[in-house]
Amino acid sequence: MVWGSLGSIIFEVHKTPNKGSFIRKHRFDYARITTFQKPKVQYLRENLEEIEFEMRFYFYSGIDPLMESKKLLDEARKKEPLTLMVGDNVIGRFVIEEVEETYKITDNKGNLIDMGVKVRLLEYV
């Protein structure tokens, strides 16, 4: 498993990155110019980078899934940029745009053992 951090939140990437669980989007805008012949395009700008991935909060890794999820939502509500690191690599500074929680495993008393949290981040410049 690959470990990372978003600000003070430590997480495990839920699936192996080569299976589409960590997606970086780079988009570029072009204007379409209509002419009598074939249309032309003109470069306008590069859009903000977007990243989507699923974090894993697993109780047996020493992480309280509900506490970590609460910290993540608290960070999102602050509306401040956070540094994203995966492994030893600093990816950049991002704001949290969306959080989606999935309860994966509970014990026989309903206590949460394993939680997947999909996040969508937007580059902060």
Side-chain angles (χ1 to χ4, degrees):
M1 290 288 180
V2 178
W3 288 88
S5 65
L6 181 62
S8 64
I9 300 158
I10 307 297
F11 62 86
E12 191 175 327
V13 175
H14 197 68
K15 300 173 186 166
T16 54
N18 61 4
K19 301 250 175 143
S21 64
F22 191 94
I23 301 166
R24 289 178 83 168
K25 294 180 185 177
H26 303 272
R27 293 185 5 211
F28 305 88
D29 285 340
Y30 287 85
R32 293 176 189 239
I33 303 164
T34 305
T35 64
F36 288 108
Q37 289 111 16
K38 207 170 192 181
K40 307 273 188 218
V41 294
Q42 180 179 353
Y43 174 77
L44 296 175
R45 68 179 165 265
E46 181 175 356
N47 283 301
L48 297 173
E49 181 178 351
E50 295 178 27
I51 294 182
E52 295 179 28
F53 65 98
E54 185 173 343
M55 298 177 175
R56 181 178 184 201
F57 298 137
Y58 189 57
F59 180 77
Y60 294 119
S61 295
I63 295 172
D64 179 342
L66 290 175
M67 267 312 235
E68 290 302 305
S69 177
K70 181 183 178 318
K71 282 173 43 180
L72 183 64
L73 289 170
D74 289 345
E75 288 294 343
R77 288 182 180 113
K78 287 181 187 175
K79 304 172 198 93
E80 294 178 3
L82 302 166
T83 299
L84 174 64
M85 292 186 66
V86 176
D88 294 330
N89 302 313
V90 175
I91 306 297
R93 292 176 52 79
F94 295 85
V95 292
I96 301 169
E97 192 172 39
E98 185 177 338
V99 176
E100 179 182 318
E101 301 171 342
T102 304
Y103 289 29
K104 303 232 179 228
I105 301 173
T106 59
D107 65 13
N108 60 357
K109 295 179 182 174
N111 298 311
L112 186 59
I113 303 296
D114 189 3
M115 175 189 275
V117 180
K118 288 183 185 176
V119 294
R120 185 169 58 218
L121 306 176
L122 186 61
E123 180 182 20
Y124 181 83
V125 290

